[in-house]
Amino acid sequence: MLEVSNVSKSYYNGRQTKKALNGIDLTVSKGEVVGLVGESGCGKSTLARVVMQLELADSGSIAFNGKLVTRKSRKSFYQANQLIFQNASAALNPSWTVREILLEPLRLMKGDREAYIRRMLGRVKLSETHLHRYPSQLSGGEQQRVNLLRSLLVEPDLLICDEIVSNLDRLTQREIIDLLLELNREMDMSILFIAHDLQAVMYACDRIYVMKDGRVVDESAKTDGVFHFSHCYARQLFDSVLGNRMRE
Ligand code: ADP
Ligand code: MG
């Protein structure tokens, strides 16, 4: 469904050029939950932005459902794809109530938008009492649920989650991930789950890409509940969390 081919992107910081992405190949199939892990600074967020066309790649291509995503075609791409970020409180307008925040992406929707929102609230385990609150009156987990719901309202085919559980405690992380997995099953929504936290990624994903210094250095699908990595860097990363996994 999503096919990233040989994508590169450099930044020039005034003195030198830094290759943030160096020939990235990556795919996400329909209904798949794919992980992307790697140390801070390896290029994960850059890839998310480039896939979402918030920035242009220097070279390479991005295709969605077999069609190249271009500046012209990106409008329909946006309808099918949503990106959510780590920092939920920064993503939510502090002077709007939850109700106003959720109505905004539905501007163009015909029919009863309020009823639709009330129906969808339950999906992310929020209630109608949350509608009248401001983001500052919500917990971190609740803020991330609102953020998530806002992206779900347009029923995306693919949801890209960039470090969305990184600021949350383990229990809340687990709740949000379980929620994502439920949505994945019920709505057949594909997920690209980006994190530096290996435990969360191993728990959430069917298949994982490992990034280092702008390159994908390894890839593994889960077989019998276990990932098999061949590259020594990936092995090191994963060995360091063995025996300390999130319990199923
Ligand atoms: P990650 O999300 O894996 O932590 P990023 O994609 O944010 O990594 O960053 C990858 C590299 O690209 C880093 O070295 C970062 O400093 C650099 N970078 C990212 N965005 C920019 C930008 N807008 N301008 C200059 N350099 C950037
Ligand atoms: Mg990042």
Side-chain angles (χ1 to χ4, degrees), residues 40-41 43-46 49 86 162-163 194:
S40 179
K44 304 180 298 295
S45 297
T46 303
R49 289 195 302 271
Q86 169 171 8
D162 189 3
E163 308 266 10
I194 300 175

Side-chain angles (χ1 to χ4, degrees), residues 189-203:
M189 180 180 71
S190 309
I191 297 174
L192 180 60
F193 189 83
I194 300 175
H196 65 272
D197 179 346
L198 298 167
Q199 287 189 55
V201 176
M202 289 200 294
Y203 175 72

